[in-house]
Coordinates of all heavy atoms in Angstrom, one line a residue:
M1 N 33.7 -21.4 -38.0 CA 33.5 -20.4 -39.1 C 33.0 -19.1 -38.6 O 32.2 -19.1 -37.7 CB 32.5 -21.0 -40.1 CG 32.4 -20.2 -41.4 SD 31.0 -20.8 -42.3 CE 31.4 -22.5 -42.5
T2 N 33.5 -18.0 -39.1 CA 33.2 -16.7 -38.6 C 32.7 -15.8 -39.8 O 33.3 -15.9 -40.9 CB 34.4 -16.1 -38.0 OG1 34.9 -17.0 -37.0 CG2 34.1 -14.8 -37.3
Y3 N 31.8 -14.9 -39.5 CA 31.4 -13.9 -40.4 C 31.9 -12.6 -39.9 O 31.9 -12.3 -38.7 CB 29.9 -13.8 -40.6 CG 29.4 -15.0 -41.4 CD1 29.0 -16.2 -40.7 CD2 29.2 -15.0 -42.7 CE1 28.5 -17.3 -41.4 CE2 28.8 -16.1 -43.4 CZ 28.4 -17.2 -42.8 OH 27.9 -18.3 -43.4
V4 N 32.4 -11.7 -40.8 CA 32.9 -10.4 -40.4 C 32.3 -9.4 -41.4 O 32.0 -9.7 -42.5 CB 34.4 -10.3 -40.4 CG1 35.0 -11.3 -39.4 CG2 35.0 -10.5 -41.7
K5 N 32.4 -8.1 -40.9 CA 32.1 -7.0 -41.8 C 33.1 -5.9 -41.7 O 33.8 -5.8 -40.6 CB 30.7 -6.4 -41.4 CG 29.5 -7.2 -41.9 CD 28.2 -6.6 -41.5 CE 27.7 -5.5 -42.3 NZ 26.4 -5.1 -42.0
N6 N 33.3 -5.1 -42.7 CA 34.2 -4.0 -42.6 C 33.8 -3.0 -41.6 O 32.7 -2.7 -41.4 CB 34.3 -3.3 -44.0 CG 35.2 -4.0 -45.0 OD1 36.2 -4.6 -44.6 ND2 34.7 -4.1 -46.2
W7 N 34.8 -2.6 -40.8 CA 34.6 -1.6 -39.8 C 35.1 -0.3 -40.4 O 36.3 -0.1 -40.8 CB 35.4 -1.9 -38.5 CG 35.3 -0.9 -37.4 CD1 34.2 -0.6 -36.8 CD2 36.4 -0.2 -36.8 NE1 34.5 0.3 -35.8 CE2 35.8 0.6 -35.8 CE3 37.8 -0.1 -37.0 CZ2 36.6 1.5 -35.0 CZ3 38.5 0.7 -36.2 CH2 37.9 1.5 -35.2
N8 N 34.2 0.7 -40.6 CA 34.6 1.9 -41.2 C 35.5 2.8 -40.3 O 35.1 3.0 -39.2 CB 33.4 2.7 -41.7 CG 32.7 1.9 -42.8 OD1 33.3 1.3 -43.6 ND2 31.3 2.0 -42.8
R9 N 36.6 3.3 -40.8 CA 37.5 4.1 -40.1 C 38.2 5.0 -41.1 O 38.2 4.7 -42.3 CB 38.4 3.3 -39.2 CG 39.6 2.8 -40.0 CD 39.2 1.7 -41.0 NE 40.4 1.4 -41.8 CZ 40.3 0.8 -43.1 NH1 39.1 0.6 -43.6 NH2 41.4 0.6 -43.7
K10 N 38.9 6.0 -40.6 CA 39.7 6.8 -41.5 C 40.9 6.0 -42.0 O 41.4 5.1 -41.3 CB 40.2 8.0 -40.7 CG 39.0 8.9 -40.3 CD 39.4 10.4 -40.3 CE 38.2 11.3 -40.2 NZ 37.8 11.4 -38.8
A11 N 41.3 6.3 -43.2 CA 42.4 5.6 -43.8 C 43.7 5.8 -43.0 O 43.9 6.8 -42.4 CB 42.7 6.1 -45.2
Q12 N 44.4 4.7 -42.9 CA 45.7 4.7 -42.1 C 46.9 4.6 -43.0 O 46.8 3.8 -44.0 CB 45.7 3.6 -41.1 CG 45.1 3.9 -39.8 CD 45.0 2.7 -38.9 OE1 44.4 1.7 -39.2 NE2 45.7 2.8 -37.8
K13 N 47.9 5.2 -42.7 CA 49.1 5.1 -43.5 C 49.9 3.8 -43.2 O 50.5 3.2 -44.0 CB 50.0 6.3 -43.4 CG 49.4 7.5 -44.1 CD 50.5 8.3 -44.8 CE 50.0 9.4 -45.7 NZ 49.9 10.7 -45.1
E14 N 50.0 3.5 -41.9 CA 50.8 2.4 -41.5 C 50.3 1.1 -42.0 O 49.1 0.9 -42.2 CB 51.0 2.3 -40.0 CG 49.7 2.1 -39.3 CD 49.8 2.1 -37.8 OE1 50.9 1.7 -37.3 OE2 48.9 2.5 -37.1
S15 N 51.2 0.2 -42.3 CA 50.7 -1.1 -42.9 C 50.2 -2.0 -41.8 O 51.0 -2.5 -41.0 CB 51.9 -1.8 -43.6 OG 51.6 -3.1 -43.9
M16 N 48.9 -2.3 -41.8 CA 48.4 -3.2 -40.8 C 48.8 -4.7 -41.1 O 48.8 -5.5 -40.3 CB 46.9 -3.1 -40.7 CG 46.4 -1.8 -40.2 SD 47.2 -1.2 -38.7 CE 46.6 -2.4 -37.5
I17 N 49.1 -4.9 -42.4 CA 49.6 -6.3 -42.7 C 50.8 -6.6 -42.0 O 51.0 -7.7 -41.5 CB 49.7 -6.4 -44.3 CG1 48.4 -6.6 -44.9 CG2 50.7 -7.5 -44.7 CD1 47.8 -8.0 -44.7
E18 N 51.8 -5.7 -42.0 CA 53.0 -5.9 -41.2 C 52.8 -6.3 -39.8 O 53.4 -7.2 -39.2 CB 54.0 -4.7 -41.4 CG 54.7 -4.7 -42.7 CD 55.6 -3.5 -42.8 OE1 56.0 -2.9 -41.8 OE2 55.8 -3.1 -44.0
K19 N 51.9 -5.5 -39.2 CA 51.5 -5.8 -37.8 C 50.9 -7.1 -37.6 O 51.1 -7.9 -36.7 CB 50.6 -4.7 -37.2 CG 51.3 -3.4 -37.1 CD 50.5 -2.4 -36.2 CE 51.4 -1.3 -35.8 NZ 50.7 -0.5 -34.7
W20 N 50.0 -7.5 -38.6 CA 49.3 -8.8 -38.6 C 50.4 -9.9 -38.7 O 50.3 -10.9 -37.9 CB 48.4 -8.8 -39.8 CG 47.6 -10.1 -39.8 CD1 46.3 -10.3 -39.3 CD2 47.9 -11.3 -40.5 NE1 45.9 -11.6 -39.6 CE2 46.9 -12.2 -40.3 CE3 49.1 -11.7 -41.2 CZ2 46.9 -13.5 -40.8 CZ3 49.1 -13.0 -41.6 CH2 48.0 -13.9 -41.5
E21 N 51.4 -9.7 -39.5 CA 52.4 -10.7 -39.7 C 53.2 -10.9 -38.4 O 53.6 -12.0 -38.0 CB 53.3 -10.4 -40.9 CG 52.6 -10.6 -42.2 CD 53.5 -10.2 -43.4 OE1 54.4 -9.4 -43.3 OE2 53.2 -10.7 -44.5
Q22 N 53.5 -9.7 -37.8 CA 54.3 -9.8 -36.5 C 53.5 -10.6 -35.4 O 54.0 -11.4 -34.7 CB 54.6 -8.4 -36.0 CG 55.8 -7.7 -36.8 CD 55.9 -6.2 -36.5 OE1 55.2 -5.7 -35.6 NE2 56.7 -5.6 -37.3
Y23 N 52.2 -10.3 -35.4 CA 51.4 -10.9 -34.3 C 51.2 -12.4 -34.6 O 51.3 -13.2 -33.6 CB 50.0 -10.2 -34.3 CG 49.0 -10.9 -33.3 CD1 49.1 -10.6 -32.0 CD2 48.1 -11.8 -33.8 CE1 48.2 -11.2 -31.1 CE2 47.2 -12.4 -32.9 CZ 47.3 -12.1 -31.6 OH 46.4 -12.7 -30.7
T24 N 50.9 -12.8 -35.8 CA 50.6 -14.2 -36.1 C 51.9 -15.0 -36.3 O 51.9 -16.2 -36.2 CB 49.8 -14.3 -37.4 OG1 50.5 -13.7 -38.5 CG2 48.4 -13.6 -37.2
G25 N 53.0 -14.3 -36.6 CA 54.3 -15.0 -36.9 C 54.2 -15.7 -38.3 O 55.0 -16.6 -38.6
K26 N 53.2 -15.3 -39.1 CA 53.1 -15.9 -40.4 C 53.2 -14.8 -41.5 O 53.0 -13.6 -41.2 CB 51.7 -16.5 -40.6 CG 51.4 -17.7 -39.7 CD 50.0 -18.2 -39.9 CE 49.7 -19.2 -38.9 NZ 48.3 -19.1 -38.4
N27 N 53.4 -15.2 -42.7 CA 53.4 -14.3 -43.8 C 51.9 -14.1 -44.3 O 51.1 -15.0 -44.0 CB 54.2 -14.8 -45.0 CG 55.7 -14.8 -44.8 OD1 56.2 -13.9 -44.2 ND2 56.3 -15.9 -45.2
C28 N 51.7 -13.0 -44.9 CA 50.3 -12.7 -45.4 C 49.9 -13.9 -46.3 O 50.8 -14.3 -47.1 CB 50.4 -11.4 -46.2 SG 48.8 -11.0 -46.9
P29 N 48.7 -14.4 -46.2 CA 48.3 -15.5 -47.1 C 48.3 -15.1 -48.5 O 48.3 -13.9 -48.9 CB 46.9 -15.8 -46.6 CG 46.6 -15.0 -45.4 CD 47.7 -14.0 -45.3
A30 N 48.4 -16.1 -49.4 CA 48.4 -15.9 -50.9 C 47.1 -15.4 -51.4 O 47.0 -14.7 -52.4 CB 48.9 -17.1 -51.6
Y31 N 46.0 -15.8 -50.7 CA 44.7 -15.4 -51.2 C 43.9 -14.7 -50.1 O 44.2 -14.9 -48.9 CB 43.9 -16.7 -51.6 CG 44.5 -17.3 -52.9 CD1 45.5 -18.3 -52.8 CD2 44.1 -16.8 -54.1 CE1 46.0 -18.8 -54.0 CE2 44.6 -17.4 -55.3 CZ 45.6 -18.4 -55.2 OH 46.1 -18.9 -56.4
C32 N 42.9 -14.0 -50.6 CA 42.0 -13.2 -49.7 C 41.4 -14.1 -48.7 O 41.0 -15.2 -49.0 CB 41.0 -12.5 -50.6 SG 39.8 -11.5 -49.7
S33 N 41.2 -13.6 -47.4 CA 40.7 -14.4 -46.3 C 39.2 -14.6 -46.5 O 38.6 -15.5 -45.8 CB 40.9 -13.7 -45.0 OG 42.3 -13.5 -44.8
N34 N 38.5 -13.8 -47.3 CA 37.1 -14.0 -47.6 C 36.9 -15.3 -48.3 O 37.4 -15.5 -49.4 CB 36.6 -12.8 -48.4 CG 35.1 -13.0 -48.7 OD1 34.5 -14.0 -48.4 ND2 34.5 -11.9 -49.3
A35 N 36.2 -16.3 -47.7 CA 36.0 -17.6 -48.3 C 35.3 -17.6 -49.6 O 35.5 -18.5 -50.4 CB 35.3 -18.5 -47.3
N36 N 34.6 -16.5 -49.9 CA 33.9 -16.4 -51.2 C 34.6 -15.5 -52.2 O 34.0 -15.1 -53.2 CB 32.5 -15.8 -50.9 CG 31.7 -16.8 -50.1 OD1 31.7 -18.0 -50.3 ND2 30.9 -16.3 -49.2
C37 N 35.9 -15.3 -52.0 CA 36.7 -14.4 -52.9 C 37.9 -15.2 -53.3 O 38.6 -15.8 -52.4 CB 37.1 -13.1 -52.1 SG 38.1 -12.1 -53.1
D38 N 38.3 -15.2 -54.6 CA 39.4 -15.9 -55.1 C 40.6 -15.0 -55.4 O 41.6 -15.4 -56.0 CB 39.0 -16.6 -56.4 CG 38.0 -17.7 -56.2 OD1 38.0 -18.3 -55.1 OD2 37.1 -17.9 -57.0
N39 N 40.5 -13.7 -55.0 CA 41.6 -12.8 -55.4 C 42.9 -13.1 -54.7 O 42.9 -13.5 -53.5 CB 41.1 -11.4 -55.1 CG 40.1 -10.8 -56.0 OD1 39.8 -11.4 -57.1 ND2 39.4 -9.8 -55.6
K40 N 44.0 -13.0 -55.4 CA 45.3 -13.2 -54.9 C 45.7 -11.9 -54.1 O 45.3 -10.8 -54.5 CB 46.3 -13.4 -56.0 CG 46.3 -14.9 -56.5 CD 47.5 -15.2 -57.3 CE 48.7 -15.7 -56.4 NZ 49.8 -16.2 -57.2
L41 N 46.4 -12.1 -53.1 CA 46.9 -10.9 -52.3 C 48.3 -10.6 -52.7 O 49.3 -10.8 -52.1 CB 46.9 -11.2 -50.8 CG 45.5 -11.5 -50.2 CD1 45.6 -11.7 -48.7 CD2 44.5 -10.4 -50.5
D42 N 48.4 -9.9 -53.9 CA 49.7 -9.4 -54.4 C 50.0 -8.2 -53.6 O 49.2 -7.6 -52.9 CB 49.6 -9.1 -55.9 CG 49.3 -10.3 -56.7 OD1 49.9 -11.4 -56.4 OD2 48.6 -10.2 -57.7
D43 N 51.3 -7.8 -53.7 CA 51.7 -6.6 -52.9 C 50.9 -5.4 -53.1 O 50.6 -4.6 -52.1 CB 53.2 -6.3 -53.2 CG 54.1 -7.2 -52.6 OD1 53.7 -7.9 -51.6 OD2 55.3 -7.3 -53.0
D44 N 50.3 -5.2 -54.3 CA 49.5 -4.0 -54.5 C 48.0 -4.2 -54.3 O 47.2 -3.4 -54.6 CB 49.8 -3.4 -55.9 CG 49.4 -4.4 -57.0 OD1 49.2 -5.6 -56.6 OD2 49.4 -4.0 -58.1
N45 N 47.7 -5.4 -53.8 CA 46.3 -5.7 -53.6 C 45.9 -6.3 -52.3 O 44.8 -6.8 -52.0 CB 45.8 -6.7 -54.7 CG 44.3 -6.9 -54.8 OD1 43.6 -5.9 -54.7 ND2 43.9 -8.1 -55.0
K46 N 46.9 -6.2 -51.3 CA 46.6 -6.7 -50.0 C 46.3 -5.6 -49.0 O 47.0 -4.6 -49.0 CB 47.6 -7.7 -49.5 CG 49.0 -7.0 -49.3 CD 50.0 -8.1 -49.0 CE 51.4 -7.5 -48.8 NZ 52.4 -8.6 -48.6
C47 N 45.4 -5.8 -48.1 CA 45.1 -4.9 -47.0 C 45.0 -5.6 -45.7 O 44.5 -6.7 -45.6 CB 43.7 -4.2 -47.3 SG 43.6 -3.5 -48.9
G48 N 45.4 -4.9 -44.6 CA 45.1 -5.4 -43.3 C 43.8 -4.7 -42.9 O 43.8 -3.6 -42.5
A49 N 42.7 -5.4 -43.2 CA 41.4 -4.8 -43.1 C 40.9 -4.8 -41.6 O 41.1 -5.8 -40.9 CB 40.4 -5.6 -43.9
H50 N 40.3 -3.7 -41.2 CA 39.6 -3.7 -39.9 C 38.2 -4.3 -40.0 O 37.4 -3.8 -40.8 CB 39.5 -2.2 -39.4 CG 40.8 -1.6 -39.1 ND1 41.7 -1.3 -40.1 CD2 41.4 -1.2 -37.9 CE1 42.8 -0.7 -39.5 NE2 42.6 -0.6 -38.2
V51 N 37.9 -5.3 -39.2 CA 36.6 -5.9 -39.3 C 36.1 -6.2 -37.9 O 36.8 -6.2 -36.9 CB 36.7 -7.2 -40.1 CG1 37.1 -7.0 -41.5 CG2 37.6 -8.3 -39.4
Y52 N 34.8 -6.4 -37.8 CA 34.2 -6.9 -36.6 C 33.4 -8.2 -36.9 O 33.0 -8.4 -38.0 CB 33.3 -5.8 -35.9 CG 32.2 -5.3 -36.7 CD1 31.0 -5.9 -36.8 CD2 32.4 -4.1 -37.4 CE1 30.0 -5.4 -37.6 CE2 31.3 -3.5 -38.2 CZ 30.1 -4.2 -38.3 OH 29.1 -3.7 -39.0
K53 N 33.2 -9.0 -35.9 CA 32.5 -10.2 -36.0 C 31.0 -9.9 -36.1 O 30.4 -9.1 -35.3 CB 32.7 -11.2 -34.9 CG 34.1 -11.8 -35.0 CD 34.3 -12.9 -33.9 CE 35.7 -13.5 -34.0 NZ 35.9 -14.5 -33.0
C54 N 30.3 -10.6 -37.0 CA 28.9 -10.5 -37.1 C 28.3 -11.9 -37.3 O 29.0 -12.9 -37.5 CB 28.5 -9.6 -38.2 SG 29.0 -10.2 -39.8
N55 N 26.9 -12.0 -37.3 CA 26.3 -13.2 -37.6 C 26.1 -13.3 -39.1 O 26.4 -12.4 -39.8 CB 25.0 -13.4 -36.8 CG 23.9 -12.4 -37.1 OD1 24.0 -11.8 -38.1 ND2 23.0 -12.3 -36.2
K56 N 25.5 -14.4 -39.5 CA 25.3 -14.6 -41.0 C 24.5 -13.5 -41.6 O 24.7 -13.2 -42.8 CB 24.6 -15.9 -41.1 CG 24.9 -16.7 -42.4 CD 24.2 -18.0 -42.4 CE 24.3 -18.6 -43.8 NZ 23.5 -19.8 -44.0
D57 N 23.6 -12.8 -40.8 CA 22.8 -11.8 -41.4 C 23.5 -10.4 -41.3 O 22.8 -9.4 -41.6 CB 21.5 -11.7 -40.7 CG 20.7 -13.0 -40.8 OD1 20.8 -13.6 -42.0 OD2 20.1 -13.5 -39.9
G58 N 24.7 -10.4 -40.8 CA 25.4 -9.1 -40.8 C 25.2 -8.3 -39.5 O 25.7 -7.2 -39.4
K59 N 24.6 -8.9 -38.5 CA 24.4 -8.2 -37.2 C 25.6 -8.3 -36.3 O 26.1 -9.4 -36.1 CB 23.2 -8.7 -36.5 CG 22.7 -8.0 -35.3 CD 21.4 -8.5 -34.8 CE 20.8 -7.6 -33.6 NZ 21.7 -7.7 -32.4
Q60 N 26.1 -7.2 -35.8 CA 27.4 -7.2 -35.0 C 27.2 -8.1 -33.8 O 26.2 -7.9 -33.1 CB 27.8 -5.8 -34.7 CG 29.1 -5.7 -33.9 CD 29.7 -4.3 -33.9 OE1 29.1 -3.4 -34.5 NE2 30.8 -4.2 -33.2
I61 N 28.1 -8.9 -33.5 CA 28.0 -9.8 -32.3 C 29.1 -9.5 -31.3 O 29.1 -10.1 -30.2 CB 27.9 -11.3 -32.6 CG1 29.1 -11.7 -33.5 CG2 26.6 -11.6 -33.3 CD1 29.2 -13.2 -33.7
S62 N 30.1 -8.7 -31.6 CA 31.2 -8.5 -30.7 C 31.8 -7.1 -31.0 O 31.8 -6.6 -32.1 CB 32.3 -9.5 -30.9 OG 33.5 -9.1 -30.5
G63 N 32.2 -6.4 -29.9 CA 32.8 -5.1 -30.1 C 34.2 -5.1 -30.4 O 34.8 -4.1 -30.8
T64 N 34.8 -6.3 -30.4 CA 36.3 -6.4 -30.7 C 36.5 -6.1 -32.2 O 35.8 -6.6 -33.1 CB 36.8 -7.8 -30.4 OG1 36.4 -8.1 -29.0 CG2 38.3 -7.8 -30.5
I65 N 37.5 -5.3 -32.5 CA 38.0 -5.1 -33.9 C 39.1 -6.0 -34.2 O 40.1 -6.1 -33.4 CB 38.3 -3.6 -34.1 CG1 37.2 -2.7 -33.7 CG2 38.8 -3.4 -35.5 CD1 35.9 -2.9 -34.6
Y66 N 39.1 -6.6 -35.3 CA 40.2 -7.5 -35.7 C 40.8 -7.1 -37.0 O 40.2 -6.4 -37.8 CB 39.6 -9.0 -36.0 CG 39.0 -9.6 -34.8 CD1 37.7 -9.4 -34.4 CD2 39.8 -10.4 -34.0 CE1 37.1 -10.0 -33.3 CE2 39.3 -11.0 -32.8 CZ 37.9 -10.8 -32.5 OH 37.4 -11.4 -31.4
I67 N 42.1 -7.5 -37.2 CA 42.7 -7.2 -38.5 C 42.8 -8.6 -39.2 O 43.1 -9.6 -38.7 CB 44.2 -6.7 -38.3 CG1 44.2 -5.4 -37.5 CG2 44.9 -6.6 -39.7 CD1 43.5 -4.3 -38.2
V68 N 42.3 -8.5 -40.5 CA 42.3 -9.8 -41.3 C 42.8 -9.4 -42.7 O 42.5 -8.3 -43.2 CB 40.9 -10.4 -41.3 CG1 39.9 -9.5 -42.0 CG2 41.0 -11.8 -41.9
P69 N 43.7 -10.2 -43.3 CA 44.2 -9.9 -44.7 C 43.1 -10.1 -45.7 O 42.5 -11.2 -45.9 CB 45.3 -11.0 -44.9 CG 45.6 -11.6 -43.6 CD 44.3 -11.5 -42.8
L70 N 42.7 -9.0 -46.4 CA 41.7 -9.0 -47.4 C 42.3 -8.3 -48.7 O 43.2 -7.5 -48.6 CB 40.5 -8.2 -47.0 CG 39.6 -8.8 -45.9 CD1 38.4 -7.8 -45.6 CD2 39.1 -10.2 -46.3
C71 N 41.7 -8.6 -49.8 CA 42.0 -7.9 -51.0 C 41.4 -6.5 -51.0 O 40.5 -6.3 -50.2 CB 41.6 -8.7 -52.3 SG 39.8 -8.7 -52.5
K72 N 41.8 -5.6 -51.9 CA 41.3 -4.3 -51.9 C 39.8 -4.2 -52.2 O 39.1 -3.4 -51.6 CB 42.0 -3.4 -52.9 CG 43.3 -2.9 -52.4 CD 43.9 -1.9 -53.4 CE 45.2 -1.3 -52.8 NZ 46.0 -0.6 -53.9
E73 N 39.3 -5.1 -53.0 CA 37.9 -5.2 -53.4 C 37.1 -5.5 -52.1 O 36.1 -4.8 -51.9 CB 37.7 -6.3 -54.4 CG 36.6 -6.1 -55.3 CD 36.6 -7.2 -56.4 OE1 37.6 -7.3 -57.1 OE2 35.6 -7.9 -56.4
C74 N 37.5 -6.4 -51.3 CA 36.7 -6.8 -50.1 C 36.9 -5.7 -49.1 O 35.9 -5.5 -48.3 CB 37.2 -8.1 -49.6 SG 36.8 -9.5 -50.6
N75 N 38.0 -5.1 -49.0 CA 38.2 -4.0 -48.0 C 37.6 -2.7 -48.3 O 37.6 -1.8 -47.6 CB 39.7 -3.9 -47.8 CG 40.1 -3.0 -46.6 OD1 39.5 -3.1 -45.6 ND2 41.0 -2.1 -46.8
N76 N 37.0 -2.6 -49.5 CA 36.4 -1.4 -49.9 C 35.3 -0.9 -48.9 O 34.5 -1.7 -48.4 CB 35.7 -1.6 -51.3 CG 35.3 -0.3 -51.9 OD1 34.4 0.4 -51.4 ND2 35.9 0.0 -53.0
T77 N 35.3 0.4 -48.7 CA 34.3 1.0 -47.7 C 32.9 0.7 -48.1 O 32.0 0.6 -47.3 CB 34.4 2.5 -47.7 OG1 35.8 2.8 -47.8 CG2 33.9 3.1 -46.5
Y78 N 32.6 0.5 -49.4 CA 31.3 0.3 -49.9 C 30.8 -1.1 -49.8 O 29.7 -1.5 -50.1 CB 31.1 0.9 -51.3 CG 31.4 2.3 -51.4 CD1 32.6 2.8 -51.9 CD2 30.5 3.2 -50.8 CE1 32.9 4.1 -51.9 CE2 30.9 4.6 -50.8 CZ 32.0 5.0 -51.4 OH 32.3 6.4 -51.4
N79 N 31.8 -2.0 -49.4 CA 31.4 -3.4 -49.2 C 30.8 -3.6 -47.8 O 31.6 -3.6 -46.8 CB 32.6 -4.3 -49.4 CG 32.4 -5.7 -49.0 OD1 31.2 -6.2 -49.0 ND2 33.4 -6.5 -48.7
E80 N 29.5 -3.7 -47.7 CA 28.9 -3.9 -46.4 C 28.4 -5.3 -46.2 O 27.5 -5.5 -45.4 CB 27.8 -2.8 -46.3 CG 28.3 -1.4 -46.3 CD 27.2 -0.4 -46.1 OE1 26.0 -0.7 -46.1 OE2 27.5 0.8 -45.9
D81 N 28.9 -6.2 -47.0 CA 28.4 -7.6 -46.9 C 29.1 -8.3 -45.8 O 30.2 -7.9 -45.4 CB 28.8 -8.3 -48.2 CG 28.1 -7.8 -49.4 OD1 27.0 -7.1 -49.2 OD2 28.5 -8.0 -50.5
A82 N 28.4 -9.3 -45.2 CA 29.0 -10.2 -44.2 C 29.9 -11.1 -45.0 O 29.5 -11.8 -46.0 CB 28.0 -10.9 -43.5
M83 N 31.2 -11.2 -44.6 CA 32.2 -12.0 -45.3 C 32.5 -13.2 -44.5 O 32.7 -13.1 -43.2 CB 33.4 -11.3 -45.6 CG 33.2 -10.1 -46.6 SD 34.8 -9.1 -46.8 CE 34.7 -8.0 -45.4
R84 N 32.5 -14.4 -45.1 CA 32.8 -15.6 -44.3 C 34.3 -15.9 -44.3 O 35.0 -15.9 -45.3 CB 32.1 -16.8 -45.0 CG 32.1 -18.1 -44.2 CD 31.1 -19.0 -44.8 NE 31.2 -19.3 -46.2 CZ 32.0 -20.3 -46.6 NH1 32.6 -21.1 -45.8 NH2 32.1 -20.6 -47.9
I85 N 34.8 -16.0 -43.1 CA 36.2 -16.3 -42.9 C 36.4 -17.7 -42.5 O 35.8 -18.2 -41.5 CB 36.8 -15.4 -41.8 CG1 36.6 -13.9 -42.1 CG2 38.3 -15.6 -41.6 CD1 37.3 -13.3 -43.3
G86 N 37.1 -18.5 -43.3 CA 37.2 -20.0 -43.1 C 37.9 -20.4 -41.9 O 37.7 -21.4 -41.2
N87 N 38.9 -19.5 -41.5 CA 39.8 -19.9 -40.4 C 39.9 -18.8 -39.4 O 40.4 -17.7 -39.7 CB 41.2 -20.2 -41.0 CG 42.2 -20.7 -40.0 OD1 42.0 -20.6 -38.8 ND2 43.3 -21.2 -40.5
D88 N 39.5 -19.1 -38.2 CA 39.5 -18.1 -37.1 C 40.9 -17.5 -36.8 O 41.1 -16.4 -36.3 CB 39.0 -18.6 -35.8 CG 37.4 -18.5 -35.8 OD1 36.8 -18.2 -36.8 OD2 36.9 -18.7 -34.7
N89 N 42.0 -18.3 -37.1 CA 43.3 -17.9 -36.9 C 43.7 -16.7 -37.7 O 44.8 -16.1 -37.5 CB 44.3 -19.0 -37.1 CG 44.1 -20.2 -36.1 OD1 43.6 -19.9 -35.0 ND2 44.4 -21.4 -36.5
L90 N 42.9 -16.4 -38.8 CA 43.3 -15.3 -39.6 C 42.9 -14.0 -39.0 O 43.3 -12.9 -39.5 CB 42.5 -15.4 -41.0 CG 43.0 -16.6 -41.9 CD1 42.0 -16.8 -43.0 CD2 44.4 -16.2 -42.4
L91 N 42.1 -14.0 -37.9 CA 41.7 -12.8 -37.2 C 42.6 -12.4 -36.1 O 42.8 -13.2 -35.1 CB 40.3 -13.0 -36.6 CG 39.2 -13.3 -37.7 CD1 37.9 -13.7 -37.0 CD2 38.9 -12.0 -38.5
A92 N 43.3 -11.3 -36.2 CA 44.2 -10.8 -35.2 C 43.6 -9.6 -34.5 O 43.2 -8.6 -35.1 CB 45.5 -10.4 -35.8
P93 N 43.3 -9.7 -33.1 CA 42.7 -8.7 -32.4 C 43.5 -7.4 -32.5 O 44.7 -7.4 -32.1 CB 42.5 -9.2 -31.0 CG 43.2 -10.5 -30.9 CD 43.7 -10.8 -32.3
L94 N 42.8 -6.3 -32.9 CA 43.5 -5.0 -33.0 C 44.2 -4.5 -31.7 O 45.3 -4.0 -31.8 CB 42.5 -3.9 -33.5 CG 43.1 -2.5 -33.7 CD1 44.1 -2.5 -34.8 CD2 42.0 -1.6 -34.1
N95 N 43.6 -4.8 -30.6 CA 44.1 -4.3 -29.4 C 45.3 -5.1 -28.9 O 45.9 -4.7 -27.8 CB 43.0 -4.2 -28.3 CG 42.4 -5.5 -28.0 OD1 42.9 -6.6 -28.5 ND2 41.4 -5.5 -27.1
K96 N 45.7 -6.1 -29.6 CA 46.9 -6.9 -29.2 C 48.1 -6.6 -30.2 O 49.1 -7.1 -30.0 CB 46.6 -8.4 -29.3 CG 45.5 -8.9 -28.4 CD 46.0 -9.2 -27.0 CE 44.9 -9.6 -26.1 NZ 44.2 -10.8 -26.5
L97 N 47.8 -5.8 -31.2 CA 48.8 -5.5 -32.2 C 49.8 -4.4 -31.7 O 49.4 -3.5 -31.1 CB 48.2 -5.2 -33.5 CG 47.3 -6.2 -34.1 CD1 47.0 -5.9 -35.6 CD2 47.9 -7.6 -34.1
Ligands
ZN1 ZN1 38.7 -10.5 -51.5

């Protein structure tokens, strides 16, 4: 089990979800990767979110940035909560995309 937080960056035009799908060889999941979120990832509600790993208290534990499929609500810049990701396979390292 992994905790992550949003990594703040300037908005990007390119679809990180497409890159995530290419890297993992999977389609974007039907639901948000945040284990505590039930939102569906419809076409207008899915984001390839930039996140970093942290501990349960939100302290960063790795410099690696990952792409993970999140809903818009979870990907919001103002969401500074540590989010629990149930499956490590959902994290695609940005530098490999
Ligand atoms: Zn969500």
Side-chain angles (χ1 to χ4, degrees):
M1 188 190 302
T2 304
Y3 289 88
V4 301
K5 282 175 83 171
N6 280 319
W7 180 61
N8 292 326
R9 82 294 171 201
K10 296 215 167 81
Q12 272 176 299
K13 285 220 171 97
E14 61 181 331
S15 167
M16 294 312 291
I17 279 289
E18 278 175 26
K19 291 193 164 192
W20 183 93
E21 288 179 336
Q22 283 167 12
Y23 175 81
T24 59
K26 294 180 191 142
N27 290 320
C28 179
Y31 289 92
C32 184
S33 301
N34 179 354
N36 295 322
C37 175
D38 295 327
N39 288 343
K40 280 194 90 171
L41 297 183
D42 296 324
D43 280 344
D44 59 351
N45 193 37
K46 63 183 178 187
C47 305
H50 293 68
V51 299
Y52 57 83
K53 287 187 180 179
C54 62
N55 65 17
K56 213 176 164 188
D57 300 318
K59 190 171 186 294
Q60 184 166 357
I61 54 172
S62 158
T64 310
I65 302 298
Y66 297 89
I67 300 298
V68 66
L70 291 179
C71 70
K72 278 190 176 163
E73 208 174 302
C74 291
N75 188 41
N76 190 296
T77 321
Y78 301 104
N79 172 20
E80 295 182 350
D81 297 338
M83 295 176 277
R84 190 161 59 88
I85 305 295
N87 182 346
D88 273 15
N89 294 331
L90 291 166
L91 297 167
L94 179 63
N95 59 8
K96 301 273 176 63
L97 303 190

